[in-house]
Amino acid sequence: MELSSQPGPNVGPRSGQNLGQPLTGTPTPQQLQSIKAQLDLVLLALESLTGLGSEAMLAAATHLGLSDLLSDRVNLWRLRQASPLRKGQGRKKLDIDEARALVLVITHLALDHQTTIRQAVTHLESALDQGRPPHRTAMLGNYLDAFVNAYQERMEADPTSTPDDLNPLALKLLIDLLFYGNPDGSRKLWLALLDRSKT
């Protein structure tokens, strides 16, 4: 997937780790609204599958040399609270450099947890091939429960929605994580964010 976009300032790891090509392309303010929501959902899926928390995200930011953009738990919470899907949205706005930093942190963590992600996707493929509901598999059941519980706790959800309504989103995000957990994952995620924000 290639997007034609104007180059913007690059945010990349300063630790020497190769996470793919520079993240170029400057989204509009309207696109940033969508990107904020999408990034928070990807982080929610990663949290739900692996059990990692804010400390792991901040450690990844430090490792990547991005601690000036993701400095502490309060700063990270404010960035995630900027998502338009969140309950009680804060006033903090997510700028382009912060969005790129979150992309790098997500893909770094997805790479670290690639084995777990691949196991979950393998279970999903097996369940679908056998015509079994994914939630009947222990690993996927735990993931779906954690995702639905966190989503309903943090997001402005439709009061009539049920866990079954959120399961397709959770499974789609799981498959997405598989593609982001590789050395070129940051570019793939950034291009996906730009592409989806245009619809």
Side-chain angles (χ1 to χ4, degrees), residues 125-148:
E125 291 174 341
S126 177
L128 294 176
D129 286 345
Q130 297 172 23
R132 294 186 291 111
H135 69 268
R136 295 287 179 86
T137 303
M139 185 179 194
L140 293 177
N142 291 338
Y143 163 65
L144 291 171
D145 285 346
F147 181 89
V148 169

Side-chain angles (χ1 to χ4, degrees), residues 70-172:
L70 299 170
S71 56
D72 54 40
R73 294 177 68 178
V74 173
N75 173 249
L76 178 61
W77 178 83
R78 285 177 176 168
L79 290 182
R80 297 189 65 183
Q81 199 69 12
S83 166
L85 300 178
R86 285 265 181 161
K87 293 178 179 177
Q89 298 171 47
R91 295 185 178 180
K92 171 66 180 174
K93 294 182 178 179
L94 187 75
D95 66 28
I96 295 171
D97 285 348
E98 290 166 338
R100 291 191 176 108
L102 285 176
V103 165
L104 294 175
V105 166
I106 288 169
T107 52
H108 175 82
L109 292 171
L111 186 60
D112 279 353
H113 293 274
Q114 188 178 45
T115 299
T116 301
I117 295 168
R118 287 188 178 276
Q119 287 176 345
V121 172
T122 299
H123 283 306
L124 175 59
E125 291 174 341
S126 177
L128 294 176
D129 286 345
Q130 297 172 23
R132 294 186 291 111
H135 69 268
R136 295 287 179 86
T137 303
M139 185 179 194
L140 293 177
N142 291 338
Y143 163 65
L144 291 171
D145 285 346
F147 181 89
V148 169
N149 289 339
Y151 188 99
Q152 291 179 332
E153 176 184 337
R154 302 177 192 178
M155 309 297 184
E156 290 284 3
D158 181 346
T160 64
S161 66
T162 67
D164 288 343
D165 297 325
L166 293 173
N167 285 347
L169 172 61
L171 294 175
K172 179 187 181 304

